[in-house]
Amino acid sequence: MLISSPSRRSFLRLSALGMTAVVASCATPPQKPSTPSTAEDETAAALPLVNALRAKNGLPPLSVDPAASRAAIFQAKRMADAGKMAHVMGFADGFGPRVKASGVRLPAAENIATGQQTVPAVVTAWINSPHHLENMLGRYTGLGVALARNPASRNIPYWSMVLSN
């Protein structure tokens, strides 16, 4: 099909506008609620549960990693602020750079969840998920676990676990 020159320019202009809209929508940050979220470091409560799981599988225990706790708190708050559960939020976001900014040494892993009301409930949910279980049984030495809620997001609990080396 041959398109005449003025029609072709119009087609190209519309195509460029469409692509610009697609790219712009990918880079749009999540909406932030007006009320900041609150976060709690739940590492001390989760550590015995995770270490019991690891012991049953013949693995060494994890210890509290303050950098992993900072990374977990950051991620849990980020999800609560956005009102959605996601590892990646936005076009230029990435797990590695995000946890490294908190001082976490790589390799590392992250488990996230939403809706569970207690530490035992969220750890059980992660145990019952093959990929999350694999993370908890991985070759890691440190742990950080956090819970965040935001009144603007109906106080839904958002959880993050960061396993570190």
Side-chain angles (χ1 to χ4, degrees):
M1 172 183 202
L2 187 61
I3 300 175
S4 68
S5 199
S7 296
R8 184 169 185 234
R9 272 181 272 180
S10 295
F11 174 76
L12 291 174
R13 218 175 288 130
L14 286 174
S15 295
L17 285 173
M19 285 303 294
T20 302
V22 167
V23 170
S25 69
C26 291
T28 303
Q31 292 290 354
K32 299 261 183 192
S34 58
T35 308
S37 61
T38 59
E40 301 166 32
D41 186 340
E42 295 288 352
T43 308
L47 190 61
L49 301 172
V50 175
N51 281 340
L53 168 71
R54 290 176 63 85
K56 280 199 292 189
N57 287 276
L59 297 169
L62 302 177
S63 59
V64 173
D65 178 354
S69 294
R70 282 191 302 274
I73 288 168
F74 179 78
Q75 177 63 10
K77 286 182 78 162
R78 207 163 82 118
M79 292 187 300
D81 285 347
K84 71 176 191 173
M85 183 181 77
H87 290 283
V88 177
M89 292 188 199
F91 188 68
D93 191 24
F95 171 72
R98 176 168 41 84
V99 297
K100 281 175 66 175
S102 293
V104 174
R105 292 184 326 168
L106 299 178
E110 177 178 73
N111 290 347
I112 59 174
T114 189
Q116 296 81 6
Q117 298 297 322
T118 65
V119 171
V122 74
V123 171
T124 298
W126 286 326
I127 289 170
N128 291 330
S129 167
H131 183 67
H132 295 105
L133 176 61
E134 181 181 326
N135 285 343
M136 291 188 292
L137 298 178
R139 293 185 176 187
Y140 301 106
T141 59
L143 181 71
V145 177
L147 160 66
R149 297 175 189 267
N150 188 314
S153 297
R154 301 184 328 255
N155 281 316
I156 296 168
Y158 289 90
W159 297 88
S160 177
M161 170 189 279
V162 175
L163 298 125
S164 64
N165 279 304

